[in-house]
Amino acid sequence: PYATPVGLTYDTGDYEVHLARALEKADVAGFAARKQASADKGLLRGLGYSCYIEACGLAPSNIAGALGARAGLFEAGEVRVHPTGKVLFGMGTYGSRSLSVGGTAIVKAVDKVIAKGKKIAAHLLEAADGDIEFEGGNFKVAGTDKSLPFAQIALTAYVPHNYPLDKLEPGLNENAFYDPTNFTYPSGSYICEVEVDPDTGVVKVDRFTAVDDFGNVVNPMIVEGQVHGGLAQGIGQALLEHGVYDDDSGQLLSGSYMDYAMPRADDLPHFEVETVKGTPCTHNPLGVKGCGEAGAIGSPAALMNALCDALWPLGVKDLDMPASPHNVWKAIQKAKH
């Protein structure tokens, strides 16, 4: 763990692992040859890095209150088990908290469902509640071969004809609230390569590698899609997107997509994306960390660092976003003079 100067504590992280993997996947060792090949075409090539740690999974209500929030940031989970055994659930999302916060609330509600199911199973199997175990979708009496499947317990919950109703209520619906004790702290290492035409200021993102640690990953396909979307958003922010306001009135001038450029497929390279075997979060039972904003956090800095690396030999030491062709060209001309 690491206690930061601003009062938050990073519970887990192994940053060398994803940096080393990113260096390998990005073929940094071969960069010099690619840079020379670009130079042979009259183009500039730059390499940029970005290593991030994000605080997400918005999070403890006591911290939110200390910062002035007037609402708690807990999550509520409700699990309704139908007589057929089918489960429904619902949760909200923002700040990469769908699974780390909402999912944990669901887990807590499911734990209550299982506890209630054990009571029903004990009634059916004529055993004590404490002797019932739940494993592999079955309720069984410990140390025996007596067991009942979850679906039968769910049906019985709604057919309470011989229940001891003073001790066991019908139904199998449960609610739970979860207020996390900390944020989650995903991290990653991003490496970008750009090629720049010094005559026009046009920037091409030629290669992009993103390696992240999201703790335990439940659905790899969803995680990869989230990173892809974040990378596109971050690259768009670095190269294209610009909200322009009138200096006198504050009126937004880039009010439509006719004058506000969004990234499109031909603005983006093929992404090399990987999630390393992560360091599980220590304060939620799933061990998960948020992944929703990661791509958008790491990519702008990696791209702008790559662009500054490419333009450094021309005397360009710094550049503001967005790095549109016109802005890049102006920076090159200014450096010349």
Side-chain angles (χ1 to χ4, degrees), residues 203-244:
V203 178
K204 174 188 175 184
V205 183
D206 190 54
R207 301 162 68 99
F208 203 106
T209 301
V211 181
D212 299 281
D213 173 1
F214 297 127
N216 292 336
V217 173
V218 174
N219 189 320
M221 183 177 69
I222 287 178
V223 169
E224 185 173 350
Q226 291 275 19
V227 174
H228 279 194
L231 292 177
Q233 183 177 353
I235 291 171
Q237 177 183 347
L239 292 182
L240 303 165
E241 302 178 42
H242 191 196
V244 180

Side-chain angles (χ1 to χ4, degrees), residues 9 191 275 286:
T9 298
I191 300 177
T275 302
L286 296 170

Side-chain angles (χ1 to χ4, degrees), residues 63-138:
I63 294 179
L67 296 175
R70 295 187 178 183
L73 295 181
F74 61 85
E75 180 61 286
E78 179 178 4
V79 174
R80 299 176 180 177
V81 180
H82 291 196
T84 60
K86 182 179 180 182
V87 177
L88 301 170
F89 65 89
M91 55 182 152
T93 176
Y94 51 90
S96 287
R97 57 185 251 127
S98 299
L99 190 59
S100 60
V101 184
T104 298
I106 297 303
V107 167
K108 291 169 72 69
V110 167
D111 288 342
K112 292 183 178 181
V113 167
I114 293 172
K116 176 72 174 292
K118 287 181 177 180
K119 293 181 179 180
I120 298 172
H123 168 67
L124 293 177
L125 295 169
E126 299 180 340
D129 296 1
D131 292 335
I132 302 297
E133 299 176 342
F134 181 69
E135 182 179 345
N138 295 297

Side-chain angles (χ1 to χ4, degrees), residues 126-273:
E126 299 180 340
D129 296 1
D131 292 335
I132 302 297
E133 299 176 342
F134 181 69
E135 182 179 345
N138 295 297
F139 292 90
K140 66 179 183 178
V141 180
T144 74
D145 58 358
K146 293 182 178 180
S147 69
L148 291 172
F150 180 83
Q152 185 172 344
I153 298 300
L155 178 60
T156 305
Y158 295 93
V159 189
H161 296 344
N162 62 348
Y163 270 24
L165 294 174
D166 58 331
K167 299 178 181 178
L168 187 60
E169 295 181 344
L172 200 52
N173 298 343
E174 295 291 349
N175 297 302
F177 291 85
Y178 173 62
D179 198 330
T181 58
N182 198 353
F183 293 82
T184 68
Y185 300 97
S187 60
S189 296
Y190 289 8
I191 300 177
C192 178
E193 275 190 44
V194 299
E195 200 173 52
V196 184
D197 184 340
D199 295 329
T200 63
V202 170
V203 178
K204 174 188 175 184
V205 183
D206 190 54
R207 301 162 68 99
F208 203 106
T209 301
V211 181
D212 299 281
D213 173 1
F214 297 127
N216 292 336
V217 173
V218 174
N219 189 320
M221 183 177 69
I222 287 178
V223 169
E224 185 173 350
Q226 291 275 19
V227 174
H228 279 194
L231 292 177
Q233 183 177 353
I235 291 171
Q237 177 183 347
L239 292 182
L240 303 165
E241 302 178 42
H242 191 196
V244 180
Y245 295 85
D246 181 77
D247 290 338
D248 297 325
S249 67
Q251 174 66 39
L252 179 65
L253 301 180
S254 50
S256 77
Y257 289 139
M258 294 295 290
D259 43 26
Y260 181 87
M262 294 282 284
R264 297 179 295 183
D266 60 354
D267 295 311
L268 306 171
H270 172 77
F271 298 136
E272 290 289 342
V273 173

